[in-house]
Amino acid sequence: MSRIPPRLKPTNRHLTIVPHFQEKKTESGVLLPEDYKPEQDRYIEATVVDVSDDCSKQFESLRYGTINERKVVVDASMIEEVNVSDRRVYIVLENHVVGIYRRTDEV
């Protein structure tokens, strides 16, 4: 019998997301210190996995849409990584979502 692992249900106006981090690679061959972190874009795309029940109405449609209808733009510095029981989940507060992708015929 297969067991479905539990998922983290966001609360307190948070959204569970899958951030679309992009690595910037250089082929210059320059050695960098181990603690060096390359500069990242301030805003990135993310796919919404789940929405807290107390989020604004504008986020309700993200709970039921298809994968392509769940895309948002978030402030990358405000994404929180939660590591619990060998699982990694990313959450962001609804205030740090700066835009929701919509079809041209949607309001």
Side-chain angles (χ1 to χ4, degrees):
M1 178 191 240
S2 67
R3 185 174 158 211
I4 299 172
R7 65 183 174 105
L8 181 69
K9 173 69 178 160
T11 59
N12 296 326
R13 298 178 29 237
H14 282 87
L15 291 84
T16 306
I17 61 169
V18 175
H20 301 201
F21 293 121
Q22 294 184 3
E23 292 183 25
K24 295 181 180 178
K25 296 182 180 179
T26 61
E27 297 181 15
S28 64
V30 176
L31 295 177
L32 299 171
E34 288 182 20
D35 61 345
Y36 173 77
K37 291 184 180 179
E39 196 173 305
Q40 295 181 349
D41 295 330
R42 178 166 180 194
Y43 300 102
I44 63 169
E45 289 183 349
T47 301
V48 175
V49 176
D50 202 357
V51 178
S52 174
D53 292 332
D54 57 356
C55 279
S56 300
K57 289 183 181 183
Q58 63 190 356
F59 296 107
E60 285 181 19
S61 65
L62 298 175
R63 187 178 292 142
Y64 306 110
T66 65
I67 294 293
N68 289 332
E69 295 170 341
R70 295 179 175 205
K71 300 253 177 164
V72 294
V73 176
V74 299
D75 184 340
S77 65
M78 295 298 158
I79 296 173
E80 297 180 54
E81 181 179 308
V82 179
N83 291 305
V84 179
S85 301
D86 297 331
R87 296 192 62 184
R88 181 182 307 160
V89 178
Y90 294 96
I91 61 171
V92 66
L93 187 62
E94 71 175 333
N95 291 15
H96 301 296
V97 176
V98 296
I100 301 171
Y101 285 105
R102 297 282 187 213
R103 296 188 314 261
T104 54
D105 62 343
E106 285 184 291
V107 178

